[in-house]
Amino acid sequence: MRLLVFTCFLATGVALRVRGVIDRESLLIAKFGFQKTVSTEDIDTRGYVFGNVSSNSDLDSGLTMSLLPGGYFDAFSDHVIDSDESCRAAFAEIGGAAYDSACNPSGAEDFLRRVPCDVGTLCKDEDQPKLVVKYNQFTYIVEDFQHPRFWFLSISPCRRQPSLNCTWKYTAVPNGVEIKYDIWLVNGNPYKTERNPLEYQFSFEKQDTAELYLVFLLTYAVLCVVSWCNWRLVKYRLGHPVFVLLASIVCMFLGLGLTSLHVCLFAVDGVGLPALGCVARFLRTFSQ
Ligand SMILES: *[C@@H]1O[C@H](CO)[C@@H](O)[C@H](O)[C@H]1NC(C)=O
Ligand SMILES: *[C@@H]1O[C@H](CO)[C@@H](O)[C@H](O)[C@H]1NC(C)=O
């Protein structure tokens, strides 16, 4: 697997907006936790994955993008894809479950898209343009009324060929060919304007974390003031234990401040400032 641009979020699991370029082989693009769908507000509580995947070369939609829930993905990711045989094995189970207008019209699951898609148009598998989020080439809608779940988005060099009895074939991506993607993964209706940004951009397991950080930040602000006052009582002496405590609280406060800034930016643009997060983690560790 060679990967030119790698987004930090794969590692942290807080996907959001992923952008990058791949030039061959199978790639896990993102892992994202979609919240449980509430049946009375289904439009606003579903998960949405939308974006563009295009290439600088005519690959004739020879790759397959899959959005898979954990169970399917575990089995799928065990395969190293490098031949027709491995494509067939990797997609055997998924291909049976996934809807495909030509090859499996009775499939119930919307897992697969042929990519890359032609610039300026919808992906070929989007047969209901109304469901595609505006200015994007594809849209997946995730609905789960039982529980929140992790889903995995990946692109594999395999194609299913209706002209060959729908068998899976390996697609060798020539050197120099790039596949560009720009994809959002969100919880909630992308068209809704008055949504909670702390929930929309965040994978379900992070939704409360964002709010918690802000609460911690406030608490530490109060602690800073209190311990500053204590330090004043000991006449601002540097070696005093009260000073050590103050220094540690200030470091923690700065760390939390940077983290909160990262989280707030992230809530707005889905990217944030990952470097800030790293400095913040250092400060928080240092403070202890
Ligand atoms: C994605 O594709 C759509 C339709 O082809 C286009 O209007 C839009 O500008 C593209 N967006 C990006 C970020 O490339
Ligand atoms: C498709 O399957 C049929 C029946 O199994 C077989 O006769 C035919 O040769 C196959 N076609 C291709 C292109 O593999």
Side-chain angles (χ1 to χ4, degrees), residues 29-267:
I29 291 178
K31 169 186 175 187
F32 195 78
F34 290 106
Q35 67 200 6
K36 185 176 143 185
T37 313
V38 180
S39 55
T40 50
E41 317 167 57
D42 54 352
I43 295 174
D44 292 337
T45 56
R46 285 175 186 143
Y48 293 80
V49 179
F50 53 93
N52 291 1
V53 180
S54 59
S55 171
N56 59 354
S57 154
D58 179 20
L59 281 174
D60 197 21
S61 302
L63 310 185
T64 300
M65 177 167 62
S66 351
L67 179 69
L68 301 172
Y72 279 100
F73 185 75
D74 290 344
F76 176 72
S77 61
D78 285 343
H79 297 273
V80 175
I81 295 180
D82 55 6
S83 63
D84 290 351
E85 197 50 54
S86 54
C87 280
R88 234 169 288 153
F91 281 97
E93 192 191 353
I94 297 166
Y99 172 82
D100 181 321
S101 58
C103 295
N104 192 17
S106 61
E109 307 282 0
D110 180 24
F111 286 160
L112 307 177
R113 295 285 182 283
R114 292 177 174 84
V115 292
C117 310
D118 295 333
V119 174
T121 64
L122 297 185
C123 295
K124 294 195 176 100
D125 291 319
E126 292 295 354
D127 42 20
Q128 287 181 276
K130 262 198 286 181
L131 297 182
V132 177
V133 177
K134 248 189 240 165
Y135 311 120
N136 291 278
Q137 294 180 298
F138 72 87
T139 296
Y140 286 103
I141 297 175
V142 176
E143 206 175 61
D144 191 331
F145 294 106
Q146 311 300 322
H147 40 66
R149 249 202 301 187
F150 281 111
W151 289 69
F152 299 80
L153 185 70
S154 62
I155 293 181
S156 317
C158 296
R159 73 169 84 196
R160 194 188 218 178
Q161 291 187 305
S163 58
L164 291 175
N165 281 352
C166 288
T167 50
W168 289 91
K169 294 280 177 193
Y170 176 69
T171 301
V173 179
N175 271 333
V177 171
E178 292 179 342
I179 295 122
K180 274 205 192 115
Y181 58 87
D182 184 347
I183 300 170
W184 290 84
L185 299 96
V186 302
N187 272 306
N189 182 358
Y191 291 121
K192 194 173 170 187
T193 47
E194 74 281 12
R195 62 196 170 213
N196 178 351
L198 290 184
E199 287 176 4
Y200 178 68
Q201 294 279 12
F202 291 87
S203 186
F204 76 86
E205 85 286 10
K206 306 266 176 187
Q207 287 178 344
D208 295 335
T209 327
E211 279 149 14
L212 273 182
Y213 268 124
L214 296 176
V215 172
F216 279 146
L217 185 66
L218 279 181
T219 313
Y220 267 88
V222 173
L223 281 178
C224 272
V225 173
V226 170
S227 57
W228 183 272
C229 293
N230 281 342
W231 193 35
R232 201 173 65 153
L233 288 181
V234 299
K235 308 237 163 13
Y236 302 116
R237 258 185 293 143
L238 283 181
H240 201 276
V242 169
F243 171 73
V244 178
L245 184 63
L246 173 67
S248 143
I249 288 177
V250 168
C251 274
M252 192 67 168
F253 177 69
L254 289 179
L256 282 170
L258 291 180
T259 309
S260 308
L261 183 61
H262 167 60
V263 165
C264 291
L265 291 174
F266 185 89

